[in-house]
Amino acid sequence: MLPISVAAELAGMHPQTLRQYDRLGLVQPRRTRGRGRRYSMRDVVRLREVQRLSQEEGVNLAGIKRIMELEDELVQVRSENQRLRLIADPGQRIFAAGPSGDVVAVPRGTRVRRVSTASGGALVLWRPQGR
């Protein structure tokens, strides 16, 4: 984790700009116990993208915030889409009981180890017939 001075230098901007971006919600650094900001390299990459959109594309900060929100949502939607495709793909339809007792899809070839429970049960795998 990087202090604000290092993150600002890596992102090519003034520390006060990082504080402003934090207040606007464009980046969300972690906080120390004393409330100091700590940035990850992922935050630095995001800050560079904010700067690029602002300077090269001429997008205002409200527009940049919306673009970032939509990109984050797209990542989540793609992840959910991939999860649902694994469930729907007959070649991948192997199921197991998850830690909470829910039925979860497991990719073919995944090794599942038996897990002892308080009632002495074990993890069971099965595949639908005819698929």
Side-chain angles (χ1 to χ4, degrees), residues 7 14 34-35 38 41 49-50 60 68-69 75-77 79 81 83 85 96-97 109-110 113 116 121-122 129 131:
H14 193 276
R35 302 287 298 147
R38 291 291 183 261
M41 285 306 296
E49 179 65 6
V50 169
N60 66 24
M68 297 290 192
E69 288 169 350
V75 167
Q76 291 174 350
V77 168
S79 176
N81 186 20
R83 187 186 72 78
R85 283 178 186 263
T110 300
R113 58 186 181 148
S116 297
Q129 296 292 329
R131 297 229 177 186

Side-chain angles (χ1 to χ4, degrees), residues 44-92:
V44 171
V45 169
R46 189 174 179 101
L47 289 165
R48 287 180 182 162
E49 179 65 6
V50 169
Q51 186 177 41
R52 186 192 71 75
L53 288 169
S54 175
Q55 293 178 357
E56 294 177 19
E57 304 294 333
V59 181
N60 66 24
L61 293 179
I64 292 171
K65 183 174 182 180
R66 184 67 181 137
I67 289 168
M68 297 290 192
E69 288 169 350
L70 290 171
E71 286 180 349
D72 291 343
E73 186 177 334
L74 180 60
V75 167
Q76 291 174 350
V77 168
R78 284 182 173 162
S79 176
E80 178 69 4
N81 186 20
Q82 182 180 4
R83 187 186 72 78
L84 292 172
R85 283 178 186 263
L86 286 174
I87 291 171
D89 181 7
Q92 297 295 323

